[in-house]
Amino acid sequence: MTERITAGQFHAADGVDDWRVLYHVVSAHFRTGSFAEGVAFIGEIGGLVATADRRPRVDLRDAGVTVTLTHRDVALARQISAAAAELGIPADPTAVQLVNITIDALVTADVLPFWRALLGYSPIGDDYLSDPLGRGPGFGFQDMDAPRPQRNRIHLDVAVPHEQAEARIAAALAAGGRLVSDAYAPKWWVLADAEGNEACVATWMGRE
């Protein structure tokens, strides 16, 4: 299933319990017992996508492998999960997240070229920059109506699995944060640290 589908349709499909939609991508993390086991698992994934047009992004670490699909490809997600199960490698959906940095700007067109040049990133549309190597966080630009000198104009957006949002928020509040707004929940919650620096916890819900 490679046609464009919604996040809700992806999560409703059978065989994708290992995977979580995070904004525009779908990710799964698989806990390997060793680096060698991770390499073997990536070899299996390579066999699955040898002739595919849309190849996943794969991050290999000593403790596990994170696989990210840039399209909501149910069939490929199922195949990768089946390969992991065949190797006895368990998935850990709590270990996936996507971090974006958002900049509030009076005129996005005036500031985006600076950040593009500074970071060496590629534009997606008129208000987003992406790391072409897939290593760093994305940079989004959000228009504001008037200057806000008393408010931090750069904040983090942390997309987490939808069932993990409340726990992540509770942990942040217990660590000294405060809830600024839940007006857009469960799409996102706005939190702040003890000095007012803001961050958002986001899920796919409410983005259909």
Side-chain angles (χ1 to χ4, degrees):
M1 185 183 298
T2 58
E3 69 272 16
R4 185 180 297 275
I5 62 174
T6 67
Q9 288 171 326
F10 180 90
H11 278 295
D14 293 330
V16 295
D17 292 344
D18 296 341
W19 300 80
R20 296 294 183 273
V21 174
L22 304 173
Y23 291 137
H24 56 288
V25 301
V26 183
S27 288
H29 181 79
F30 299 91
R31 298 283 187 190
T32 55
S34 66
F35 190 82
E37 188 176 21
V39 171
F41 178 40
I42 291 175
E44 292 295 320
I45 295 173
L48 294 174
V49 301
T51 60
D53 293 331
R54 298 169 176 171
R55 292 181 175 83
R57 298 172 183 168
V58 180
D59 185 328
L60 170 64
R61 304 297 172 103
D62 288 339
V65 174
T66 301
V67 185
T68 300
L69 308 180
T70 56
H71 293 78
R72 294 169 187 157
D73 190 333
V74 170
L76 182 55
R78 287 173 178 155
Q79 290 176 317
I80 292 172
S81 288
E86 184 70 21
L87 293 172
I89 300 173
D92 181 3
T94 69
V96 298
Q97 68 177 20
L98 188 154
V99 177
N100 281 331
I101 296 173
T102 301
I103 298 175
D104 294 337
L106 287 170
V107 182
T108 293
D110 289 347
V111 299
L112 186 146
F114 166 83
W115 291 98
R116 178 183 179 184
L118 179 71
L119 297 167
Y121 274 24
S122 301
I124 298 178
D126 297 327
D127 61 358
Y128 193 82
L129 295 173
S130 175
D131 181 355
L133 299 178
R135 298 177 302 189
F139 272 67
F141 295 81
Q142 181 173 279
D143 290 335
M144 60 181 181
D145 298 327
R148 293 193 291 263
Q150 300 305 317
R151 178 185 171 194
N152 193 338
R153 288 172 51 183
I154 297 179
H155 68 270
L156 296 181
D157 289 326
V158 184
V160 300
H162 57 281
E163 77 277 14
Q164 297 296 319
E166 291 187 6
R168 185 68 65 91
I169 292 165
L173 297 180
R178 63 183 176 86
L179 178 66
V180 176
S181 175
D182 59 2
Y184 296 97
K187 196 173 182 180
W188 75 79
W189 292 257
V190 183
L191 309 178
D193 67 15
E195 295 188 359
N197 300 299
E198 294 182 0
C200 294
V201 174
T203 76
W204 66 265
M205 300 182 75
R207 300 177 186 274
E208 302 289 14

